[in-house]
């Protein structure tokens, strides 16, 4: 599974994504993170990842979910 995330390139790509979502061919962010982490993440963790994704969308950047996950885990370990 690739861990790169980006916004749709154009209207056609966005429409295809929306059709897939309506057909139930998509996963929630929490499900994707569960697959990558091999455990269910907390809601705070999911929110942190989502915020990173939204920031990247605003900047029109793609991100690597694995790098985001590692960054958040590192930050969390500093607070424990």
């Amino acid at each position: 599974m690739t861990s790169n995330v980006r916004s749709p390139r154009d209207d056609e790509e966005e429409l295809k994504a929306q059709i897939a979502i309506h057909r139930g061919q998509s996963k929630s962010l929490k499900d994707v993170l569960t697959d990558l982490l091999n455990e269910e993440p907390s809601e705070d963790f999911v929110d942190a990842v989502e915020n990173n994704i939204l920031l990247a969308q605003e900047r029109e950047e793609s991100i690597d979910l694995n790098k985001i996950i590692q960054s958040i885990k590192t930050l969390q370990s500093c607070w424990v």
Side-chain angles (χ1 to χ4, degrees):
M1 169 192 289
T2 182
S3 62
N4 289 332
V5 178
R6 62 168 175 76
S7 296
R9 290 187 181 116
D10 55 28
D11 291 340
E12 182 180 350
E13 195 172 77
E14 185 171 358
L15 178 61
K16 287 179 182 179
Q18 290 298 325
I19 290 170
I21 290 168
H22 290 297
R23 289 183 176 169
Q25 298 172 317
S26 63
K27 288 185 172 184
S28 69
L29 179 57
K30 187 171 189 173
D31 289 342
V32 170
L33 293 174
T34 299
D35 290 346
L36 291 172
L37 295 169
N38 296 319
E39 64 184 26
E40 188 172 313
S42 69
E43 289 301 318
D44 289 338
F45 193 92
V46 175
D47 289 344
V49 172
E50 183 177 8
N51 288 336
N52 277 276
I53 292 170
L54 293 172
L55 180 61
Q57 284 178 327
E58 286 178 18
R59 295 178 177 174
E60 298 182 0
E61 300 172 342
S62 64
I63 62 166
D64 184 327
L65 273 179
N66 287 321
K67 288 181 182 179
I68 296 296
I69 290 168
Q70 287 308 111
S71 172
I72 294 169
K73 281 182 163 184
T74 300
L75 185 61
Q76 284 180 333
S77 68
C78 292
W79 291 96
V80 175

